[in-house]
Amino acid sequence: MTEKIKFVQGNEACVEGALYAGVDFFAGYPITPSTEIAEVLSKRLPEKGGKFIQMEDEIASMCAIIGASLTGHKVMTATSGPGFSLKQEALGYACMAEIPCVIVNVQRGGPSTGNPTHVSQGDINQARWGTHGDHSIIALTASNHQDVFAMTVDAFNLAETYRTPVVLLFDEAVGHMREKLIVPEAGEIARVDRLRTSLGKGVDYHPYLPREDGRLPMSDFGGDHRYNVTGLFHDMWGFPSNNPKVVSGLLHHLNDKIENNVHNITRYKEHFMDDAEYILISYGSSARSAIHIATNRRARGEKMGVLELQSLWPFPEAMIREKCANAKAVLVVEMNMGQVMRHVKAAVDRPENVFLVNRIDGKLITPTDIKSLLRVIQGRGV
Amino acid sequence: MSVKEYIRERYFPHMWCPGCGHGTILNSLLHAVDQLQLDKKDLVMTSGIGCSARISGYVDFHSLHTIHGRALAFATGVKLSKPELKLIVPMGDGDALAIGGNHFIHAARRNIDITAIVMNNRIYGMTGGQFSPLSGAGKKATTAPYSTIDSAFDVVKLATAAGASFVARSTAYHVLETIDILKKAINHKGFSVVEILSQCPTHYGRKNKEGNASQMLKFQKDTTAKIGSKALEKNPLLIPRGIFVDNDVPEYCQAYDEVIERAMKGRKA
């Protein structure tokens, strides 16, 4: 039992979650601040018969995990900003060809080389729109190691459920800090494994024909069914097509399968949210300061709560509108120039009551940063 | 089995131009696979982007048509995750050695068991005739109206230096030689590179006044010679054909199996 309680870095908690979810193939390239994920998996994967490969670059890492997913494996890569930029074309390929995979981005300051060893949450919109063309994506995040673990398991489950890449948007502070992690017993958290076709040999299998429930059973490379996988628009056999009906049908399918399931994909936590008049919306390491201040204010009788987002894409617009319906003010606490704040403004009924508390200097947001803005909003001076 | 058994007939006719050498290369490859009596279930063809890349749609293998230049990186993931599969990766010259150059040398360095085929027509055909890293200096292309000043790679030397354990060259003209080389390359345990000179009468031929398809094929015949032949001895300027490297060196997936063995032992201890 004691070995289930660990004192680890967030990056190691991510590894534990991935192993719990059943990862058996990882391809990566060294980059700060995500490197520990590759280092630990290079040791842990072969111990259980899995495969680890250090590729020649970030692009190749992304491509290799897609190839390995097609043979039926649970796959992951990990990177940070510059590497995440490089992976974008292949990430779009995984969206288009509907290949389950998990991409971890431990965020550092950007743009460009930026601030490699310092914290940031600047890649939220890149996760949504980094690759070209209309597509949809799932992105999850976490503020503590237990949730890093849980969200990583979830990422693998969602990737299999929706046949899509899932992005884990952690940040440098969560990735590198150490705290307690309790690894659940096997079976405590449900695992979604690959949905494979039940069609036997000789029966025409359509890799891109959704079932009634919208899911698409797969067939492993090396199995009985041979089919084509391509990044071109394709028909239900996977063969290229520029038939306008096929093109628009596929594009709608790729978007709808995720956007129409936003209620199933949305993950969040509420801290003191009952009757809250002042709501702090936050995620990742920023949420820790938000929770700290709300805890103190509640002790003083102030009606303040925190809505901690754990899924960022598809954006949980309806949930946020509902939770913020009676708020006097909504403060979005994040380490960027308002990437989530803009979406919150678009979601709520009174966008004029939405304010941004941010830091973009490579330092964590402190409770004092939040207090300063609260004083102004609550009319208690500057 | 007939070669027809190895194609997806309903997707024919293919999209290559009349006179293109790529169809001949597909034909040679199918004969090689047929003569080796390989099971389609064990074959994965991975390709990138370009005229050459469309080849993967026509074969009745597991086929993975990927993004420009990255076919070998995808193939590495497929192969390492399921080593019992046979990976065949046909690429164009730009695909393999411009945008995909890094993956090419690193796949060779790892000596992972993949058969890489460079269908070298010395031009970007799909985009309409721009010069490639294999065009060489003094050639005309839509992006070289005043002739190219870029030198070409020698695929054989590059692959050899990078560590490929099987390296060969043939042409679209020398069909029987190509079949024989491809059979050996596919059977080779390790990273094998087969450069096959192909003709693009539509773009390269027209821009460089090399004539029609049959004249370009004759050019392949006249400007190449077998390794060890008298013709090559007499005229060293001819492009050598044949097998240049065939080494028995540790293969990557097998080496990784040993890593797994060490890791598992370490855990028990």
Side-chain angles (χ1 to χ4, degrees):
Chain A
M1 188 59 204
T2 46
E3 71 183 37
K4 295 283 179 190
I5 301 174
K6 292 169 184 284
F7 185 67
V8 290
Q9 283 194 349
N11 285 342
E12 293 173 89
C14 172
V15 168
E16 294 295 340
L19 290 166
Y20 189 94
V23 69
D24 50 10
F25 189 95
F26 179 96
Y29 187 83
I31 185 167
T32 304
S34 79
T35 307
E36 294 83 6
I37 296 175
E39 287 175 338
V40 179
L41 279 169
S42 72
K43 181 169 192 309
R44 298 285 295 279
L45 274 175
E47 285 176 354
K48 58 163 231 171
K51 307 276 172 81
F52 166 92
I53 186 167
Q54 182 169 315
M55 294 298 287
E56 55 272 22
D57 59 31
E58 297 277 5
I59 300 169
S61 307
M62 187 64 214
C63 298
I65 65 164
I66 294 171
S69 183
L70 280 165
T71 63
H73 293 83
K74 285 199 175 177
V75 301
M76 183 167 95
T77 186
T79 188
S80 188
F84 194 50
S85 295
L86 287 167
K87 291 183 192 301
Q88 292 298 333
E89 186 192 4
L91 196 154
Y93 180 90
C95 291
M96 183 64 138
E98 302 188 66
I99 298 170
C101 53
V102 174
I103 302 101
V104 186
N105 176 2
V106 185
Q107 296 168 90
R108 65 192 226 184
S112 189
T113 313
N115 214 346
T117 55
H118 288 68
V119 69
S120 157
Q121 293 170 328
D123 305 344
I124 310 298
N125 281 333
Q126 188 193 14
R128 178 66 187 86
W129 293 114
T131 195
H132 58 279
D134 279 307
H135 64 283
S136 197
I137 196 89
I138 297 174
L140 308 178
T141 181
S143 67
N144 62 73
H145 291 11
Q146 207 58 51
D147 289 349
V148 165
F149 180 96
M151 286 302 116
T152 304
V153 177
D154 240 348
F156 279 91
N157 288 350
L158 292 169
E160 294 296 336
T161 304
Y162 296 102
R163 265 190 78 165
T164 185
V166 175
V167 180
L168 281 166
L169 283 171
F170 299 138
D171 57 60
E172 189 276 336
V174 166
H176 278 162
M177 74 178 179
R178 288 181 183 273
E179 67 178 7
K180 187 171 83 170
L181 169 73
I182 303 172
V183 178
E185 295 294 331
E188 249 178 79
I189 304 181
R191 243 174 72 160
V192 178
D193 288 320
R194 182 69 48 95
L195 177 68
R196 292 184 170 86
T197 179
S198 55
L199 294 176
K201 201 177 176 177
V203 184
D204 205 2
Y205 161 68
H206 304 99
Y208 293 103
L209 183 65
R211 300 195 307 196
E212 255 177 44
D213 64 358
R215 293 188 67 186
L216 295 90
M218 296 183 77
S219 176
D220 299 345
F221 270 23
D224 286 329
H225 303 287
R226 294 177 305 278
Y227 58 95
N228 193 49
V229 179
T230 179
L232 288 163
F233 281 101
H234 47 270
D235 59 22
M236 63 184 177
W237 288 279
F239 205 78
S241 169
N242 48 21
N243 176 325
K245 273 188 186 162
V246 171
V247 171
S248 77
L250 178 53
L251 209 45
H252 278 296
H253 162 72
L254 294 179
N255 286 274
D256 292 351
K257 72 175 180 181
I258 292 170
E259 301 299 328
N260 291 351
N261 279 302
V262 62
H263 53 291
N264 291 322
I265 298 166
T266 295
R267 272 115 174 106
Y268 62 96
K269 274 183 161 176
E270 295 180 74
H271 309 271
F272 318 108
M273 279 292 285
D274 291 339
D275 74 7
E277 292 174 347
Y278 290 89
I279 295 176
L280 309 176
I281 295 183
S282 195
Y283 53 91
S285 55
S286 311
R288 299 172 76 99
S289 293
I291 294 165
H292 178 84
I293 200 160
T295 310
N296 289 347
R297 293 292 170 105
R298 275 284 172 179
R300 283 170 23 188
E302 235 178 88
K303 292 181 175 174
M304 188 175 292
V306 178
L307 181 57
E308 181 188 346
L309 305 181
Q310 294 182 297
S311 65
L312 294 172
W313 307 114
F315 197 71
E317 201 176 310
M319 182 275 287
I320 288 174
R321 181 182 301 121
E322 188 200 317
K323 300 288 177 196
C324 297
N326 300 314
K328 282 187 183 162
V330 176
L331 279 73
V332 181
V333 185
E334 57 183 340
M335 286 178 284
N336 55 50
M337 296 187 68
Q339 296 192 17
V340 165
M341 186 267 290
R342 280 183 213 117
H343 291 276
V344 171
K345 269 186 185 285
V348 299
D349 299 323
R350 291 187 299 279
E352 67 277 13
N353 290 348
V354 176
F355 303 89
L356 173 68
V357 184
N358 74 337
R359 275 190 89 140
I360 50 165
D361 58 356
K363 296 291 177 192
L364 281 167
I365 290 181
T366 62
T368 309
D369 294 325
I370 304 172
K371 268 185 224 165
S372 310
L373 186 67
L374 271 172
R375 282 179 69 83
V376 178
I377 294 168
Q378 295 177 327
R380 291 188 280 125
V382 186
Chain B
M1 220 146 86
S2 137
V3 288
K4 266 192 172 181
E5 298 292 316
Y6 291 97
I7 60 171
R8 293 172 173 143
E9 233 179 317
R10 64 178 149 169
Y11 299 124
F12 281 77
H14 61 62
M15 47 74 72
W16 294 312
C17 301
C20 173
H22 288 3
T24 313
I25 296 171
L26 169 61
N27 186 288
S28 304
L29 178 67
L30 295 174
H31 275 96
V33 167
D34 185 43
Q35 289 174 24
L36 291 172
Q37 294 188 304
L38 297 175
D39 191 334
K40 292 189 281 189
K41 204 175 135 178
D42 301 329
L43 292 167
V44 180
M45 183 178 278
T46 303
S47 64
I49 293 293
C51 296
S52 64
R54 291 305 186 95
I55 192 171
S56 61
Y58 302 128
V59 294
D60 190 20
F61 312 159
H62 304 284
S63 59
L64 181 56
H65 176 230
T66 68
I67 54 179
H68 198 24
R70 320 295 175 198
L72 284 169
F74 281 85
T76 298
V78 174
K79 180 69 187 179
L80 182 61
S81 65
K82 208 169 200 174
E84 62 267 37
L85 295 174
K86 279 205 175 292
L87 268 291
I88 301 174
V89 185
M91 296 169 285
D93 36 306
D95 197 34
L97 292 158
I99 188 165
N102 200 30
H103 310 305
F104 184 84
I105 55 173
H106 285 275
R109 174 179 63 82
R110 287 188 194 102
N111 193 37
I112 188 161
D113 186 16
I114 292 172
T115 304
I117 302 169
V118 182
M119 300 158 78
N120 178 12
N121 58 13
R122 310 175 78 177
I123 201 95
Y124 285 88
M126 187 70 93
T127 45
Q130 299 75 35
F131 67 93
S132 91
L134 295 181
S135 297
K139 302 296 178 205
K140 288 275 173 65
T142 58
T143 44
Y146 309 109
S147 293
T148 51
I149 54 170
D150 302 44
S151 303
F153 276 129
D154 180 324
V155 182
V156 167
K157 284 182 184 161
L158 180 68
T160 306
S165 53
F166 183 100
V167 182
R169 181 188 285 130
S170 187
T171 83
Y173 176 85
H174 299 90
V175 173
L176 296 177
E177 264 178 53
T178 302
I179 296 171
D180 185 53
I181 284 173
L182 285 173
K183 278 163 66 180
K184 287 177 176 143
I186 292 167
N187 269 345
H188 177 78
K189 194 83 190 156
F191 191 70
S192 47
V193 175
V194 181
E195 179 191 19
I196 306 176
L197 305 178
S198 184
Q199 72 279 7
C200 174
T202 305
H203 297 296
Y204 188 88
R206 193 149 53 187
K207 279 272 174 202
N208 291 290
K209 301 194 166 40
E210 289 200 3
N212 59 24
S214 54
Q215 286 165 312
M216 290 182 82
L217 278 164
K218 189 169 180 302
F219 187 76
Q220 290 170 11
K221 176 177 175 261
D222 296 340
T223 56
T224 64
K226 265 192 169 177
I227 308 171
S229 66
K230 276 193 183 156
L232 193 60
E233 212 176 291
K234 265 194 229 161
N235 183 2
L237 290 176
L238 293 175
I239 300 166
R241 302 191 316 270
I243 296 166
F244 299 81
V245 176
D246 188 357
N247 293 334
D248 186 13
V249 281
E251 192 273 330
Y252 193 80
C253 300
Q254 283 181 341
Y256 197 86
D257 283 343
E258 288 165 26
V259 168
I260 291 176
E261 214 172 289
R262 285 202 293 276
M264 285 179 161
K265 263 188 204 157
R267 209 174 178 206
K268 273 172 206 155

